[in-house]
């Protein structure tokens, strides 16, 4: 799985199958702090993601 | 996979659990309800939106244009390198697309230094300096408008309640609200996003395909507010609705309390002519202090 973290502009490669919530728990990120996109579309925390997915995490926190 | 509570489509948001179209409807309606139930402004008013180039102020401009309000922008550039430059490009595209008049002012032109230069002296608190100068420039350039609208959201507001409570800032505490009281010295300030979270605003921005810069203010990490934010987000995740409860409890309490009588007498600043609590206003005092420290170095 490819994960692009917008805030730090870093790309992570991860072998992961499970829900978005489980993925964020693994990464130590609060669901409240990010939006998760798969192929440019927003997905919710109960959605299943797999190793072939390419995700983007947008940080909710920013300047006004 | 969660479904929208209003139709059969896939949900793109969990709080509230809605599809893209219904989320958009919910978002715009929430802003409309806040404006109407708190009497923030009417379609006859000239509204000035304080624009930072970040998501909150752009989302606010976007919604107010959609609701056909008479809105203009005031962009205040504080001079933080690698933070605002990207935002400014996005802002230019955004305002051109919507035909919104926007005036730009900078700390450099107005005060003689950028926020970065002032912070290099290590003598000033970033958020105090930045906040004081922003308020000063906003008041200075918004005089001609009926009302100033800012992008403060439920996260900001619930954080502020807790911060003022925890720090014992009773005076500030009593002044917080969805709208400030009208007075002859200052243009009224209103917050149409008071009941929308940062996450909901970002969701709206993504759905509307507005380009914003996602960089966080480099000075924000240093702040007490950042700690309170992390704490509230943890609570919100474990107990959805916490932020709204904090703000609603405050507002319910606030409406029953009489405003303090001992408000300081308003004077006119000797240097800039704006309303001030003393002979020289806070902003002019701070600007002078920064210049003094910078000359010494
Ligand atoms: Zn729907
Ligand atoms: Zn002054």
């Amino acid at each position: 799985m490819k994960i692009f973290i917008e805030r730090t502009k870093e790309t992570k490669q991860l072998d992961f199958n499970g829900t978005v919530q489980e993925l964020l728990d693994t990464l130590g990120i609060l669901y409240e702090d990010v939006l998760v996109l798969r192929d440019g579309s927003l997905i919710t925390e109960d959605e299943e993601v797999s190793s072939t997915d390419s995700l983007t995490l947008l940080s909710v926190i920013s300047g006004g | 996979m969660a479904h929208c509570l209003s139709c059969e489509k896939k949900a793109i948001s969990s709080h509230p659990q809605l599809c893209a179209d219904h989320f958009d409807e919910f978002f715009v309606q929430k802003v409309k309800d806040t404006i109407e139930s708190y009497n923030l402004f009417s379609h006859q008013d000239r509204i000035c939106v304080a624009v930072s180039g970040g998501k909150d102020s752009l989302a606010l401009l976007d919604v107010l244009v959609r609701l056909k309000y008479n809105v203009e922008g005031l962009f205040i550039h504080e001079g933080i390198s690698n933070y605002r430059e990207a935002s400014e490009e996005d802002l230019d595209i955004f305002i051109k697309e919507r035909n919104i008049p926007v005036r730009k002012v900078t700390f450099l032109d107005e005060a003689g230094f950028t926020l970065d230069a002032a912070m290099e002296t290590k003598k000033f608190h970033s958020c105090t300096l930045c906040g004081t100068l922003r308020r000063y420039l906003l008041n200075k350039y918004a005089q001609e408008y009926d009302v100033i609208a800012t992008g403060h959201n439920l996260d900001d507001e619930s954080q502020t309640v807790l911060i003022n409570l925890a720090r014992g800032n009773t005076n500030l505490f009593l002044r917080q609200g969805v709208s400030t009281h009208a007075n002859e010295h200052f243009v009224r300030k209103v917050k149409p996003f008071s009941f929308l979270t940062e996450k909901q605003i970002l969701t709206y921005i993504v759905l509307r395909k507005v380009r914003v810069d996602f960089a966080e203010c480099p000075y924000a990490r240093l702040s007490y507010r950042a700690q309170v934010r992390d704490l509230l987000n943890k609570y919100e995740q474990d107990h959805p609705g916490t932020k709204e409860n904090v703000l609603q409890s405050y507002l319910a309490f606030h409406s029953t309390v009489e405003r303090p009588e001992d408000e300081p007498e308003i004077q006119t600043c000797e240097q800039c002519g704006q309303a001030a609590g003393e002979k020289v206003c806070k902003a002019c005092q701070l600007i002078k202090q920064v210049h003094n420290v910078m000359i010494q170095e």
Side-chain angles (χ1 to χ4, degrees):
Chain A
M1 167 183 301
K2 208 174 91 187
I3 305 169
F4 176 65
I5 301 172
E6 171 80 42
R7 181 154 154 213
T8 50
K9 311 270 184 248
E10 60 175 325
T11 304
K12 278 190 180 169
Q13 289 288 350
L14 206 70
D15 192 22
F16 181 88
N17 288 289
T19 65
V20 168
Q21 185 62 62
E22 287 160 357
L23 172 68
L24 293 177
D25 289 344
T26 310
L27 295 170
I29 295 171
L30 286 178
Y31 180 60
E32 193 59 23
D33 282 344
V34 288
L35 289 185
V36 184
L37 294 105
R38 179 169 53 200
D39 305 323
S41 298
L42 290 166
I43 55 174
T44 49
E45 78 272 35
D46 59 326
E47 195 104 8
E48 295 280 340
V49 288
S50 71
S51 288
T52 53
D53 282 334
S54 172
L55 305 180
T56 300
L57 301 190
L58 292 184
S59 172
V60 168
I61 301 155
S62 74
Chain B
M1 186 182 83
H3 283 274
C4 173
L5 294 178
S6 299
C7 73
E8 289 301 302
K9 281 191 219 148
K10 192 169 100 62
I12 54 89
S13 153
S14 304
H15 302 289
Q17 191 179 316
L18 296 171
C19 68
D21 289 342
H22 283 113
F23 182 89
D24 184 76
E25 200 180 292
F26 150 82
F27 191 94
V28 175
Q29 190 61 44
K30 190 80 160 181
V31 176
K32 207 165 168 267
D33 288 347
T34 305
I35 292 168
E36 286 167 6
S37 55
Y38 285 87
N39 280 319
L40 299 189
F41 41 74
S42 73
H43 281 92
Q44 278 69 52
D45 287 328
R46 276 189 77 204
I47 304 155
C48 175
V49 169
V51 183
S52 67
K55 66 179 188 315
D56 299 326
S57 48
L58 294 191
L60 183 58
L61 275 178
D62 187 68
V63 180
L64 295 184
V65 167
R66 284 177 77 187
L67 290 171
K68 306 215 171 353
Y69 283 105
N70 181 4
V71 59
E72 292 177 30
L74 178 69
F75 178 68
I76 301 173
H77 194 308
E78 64 289 88
I80 302 175
S81 60
N82 301 323
Y83 172 49
R84 290 294 185 220
E85 277 73 7
S87 291
E88 206 173 347
E89 271 172 44
D90 295 336
L91 177 69
D92 285 337
I93 298 167
F94 178 90
I95 58 180
K96 250 199 205 119
E97 282 172 357
R98 287 163 186 76
N99 235 327
I100 307 166
V102 172
R103 174 190 251 158
K104 293 187 186 186
V105 297
T106 67
F107 278 17
L108 188 59
D109 289 342
E110 297 286 332
F113 52 82
T114 61
L115 190 66
D116 279 345
M119 290 311 293
E120 251 170 56
T121 67
K122 297 197 163 51
K123 295 273 169 24
F124 300 93
H125 184 266
S126 58
C127 299
T128 308
L129 181 61
C130 187
T132 305
L133 290 183
R134 286 187 155 277
R135 272 193 299 279
Y136 165 79
L137 294 175
L138 197 53
N139 282 323
K140 179 173 171 183
Y141 287 102
Q143 289 296 338
E144 61 197 272
Y145 296 91
D146 295 303
V147 66
I148 298 170
T150 61
H152 289 94
N153 55 52
L154 182 56
D155 290 69
D156 299 320
E157 296 305 291
S158 56
Q159 287 159 18
T160 301
V161 169
L162 290 189
I163 289 169
N164 285 333
L165 197 59
R167 287 197 161 162
N169 294 337
T170 45
N171 228 320
L172 287 175
F173 189 61
L174 290 169
R175 261 183 230 156
Q176 201 195 335
V178 182
S179 164
T180 60
H181 290 260
N183 105 26
E184 76 237 65
H185 303 286
F186 298 103
V187 179
R188 200 163 54 91
K189 285 191 191 136
V190 300
K191 302 163 183 167
F193 281 170
S194 287
F195 302 103
L196 288 160
T197 64
E198 278 207 271
K199 185 160 173 158
Q200 289 165 346
I201 293 169
L202 186 59
T203 302
Y204 178 78
I205 282 285
V206 169
L207 293 177
R208 296 283 293 162
K209 299 188 169 56
V210 174
R211 274 185 50 84
V212 295
D213 183 48
F214 291 102
E216 182 181 7
C217 172
Y219 300 117
R221 273 279 145 206
L222 310 169
S223 70
Y224 181 62
R225 181 173 289 273
Q227 294 175 26
V228 174
R229 177 186 69 205
D230 291 345
L231 185 128
L232 264 173
N233 280 355
K234 179 83 181 74
Y235 275 30
E236 183 72 31
Q237 172 160 317
D238 297 345
H239 314 282
T242 297
K243 292 170 189 173
E244 172 127 20
N245 289 341
V246 167
L247 182 60
Q248 292 289 13
S249 303
Y250 164 77
L251 291 173
F253 159 79
H254 182 256
S255 64
T256 66
V257 178
E258 288 205 17
R259 297 198 339 122
E261 290 290 328
D262 60 339
E263 293 217 24
E265 204 184 309
I266 302 286
Q267 305 181 38
T268 305
C269 172
E270 283 178 352
Q271 276 163 36
C272 69
Q274 280 201 58
E278 300 160 75
K279 276 187 175 165
V280 176
C281 77
K282 278 261 150 46
C284 287
Q285 288 180 26
L286 256 177
I287 291 170
K288 193 166 172 227
Q289 283 168 23
V290 174
H291 281 287
N292 286 344
V293 172
M294 288 172 81
I295 286 164
Q296 281 165 20
E297 290 191 347

